Amino acid sequence: MMSKYEKVAWIMAFTDAVIVYYMSVRLSGMITVEDGILTTTPGLLALAIKVILMASAAEIACEMIRYPWRKDLKGEDEIVMDERDRAIRHNAAYFSLMVLTPLIFGLTGSLLFSKIATVGAIDTGLLWVGAIYVVSIAWAVRHCTEVFLYRRGY
């Protein structure tokens, strides 16, 4: 039987995979170069808002699974994680940081030393959506790692 934290890991891994796929598909057609400035189409702000709303809805649903609002739990302390769940979350967070850091430095390096460096300026909105994209990838890696560690029997 799955623990509450394993259920949350499954839900978040699926949601994060959908978010990363959705952003990957949508971003490919939104980036253009106009007058030496790397810009985006007007739909970029709507894409960022949709992604933030999807992630927020998934997080709220997971909090309701993790801490159910039932009458028999009122007055009791917070549901405590056991040591296995805590170790799995720690290892998954560490692994996602090991993915996030090279992604940030790799994207920065590719911007500086590629053909994009010949572009005069980059639209600020594109930088923010790029940051949301990188963090979404790191979160997907974290939750997929949690699922892997739960299934492996860590």
Side-chain angles (χ1 to χ4, degrees), residues 61-74:
C62 289
E63 284 299 314
M64 292 177 74
I65 291 171
R66 206 176 290 146
Y67 306 110
W69 297 329
R70 297 187 323 221
K71 290 183 179 180
D72 58 342
L73 290 178
K74 286 191 175 181

Side-chain angles (χ1 to χ4, degrees), residues 85-135:
D85 292 329
R86 198 172 307 228
I88 286 174
R89 287 187 69 171
H90 172 75
N91 289 339
Y94 178 76
F95 187 71
S96 75
L97 283 176
M98 296 300 289
V99 169
L100 179 64
T101 304
L103 268 177
I104 290 173
F105 285 113
L107 289 175
T108 304
S110 68
L111 282 174
L112 292 177
F113 300 110
S114 70
K115 294 179 183 178
I116 294 178
T118 60
V119 174
I122 298 175
D123 187 21
T124 308
L126 182 62
L127 292 176
W128 282 107
V129 171
I132 291 172
Y133 186 60
V134 167
V135 169

Side-chain angles (χ1 to χ4, degrees), residues 133-145:
Y133 186 60
V134 167
V135 169
S136 296
I137 291 172
W139 274 94
V141 167
R142 175 187 176 176
H143 291 112
C144 289
T145 304

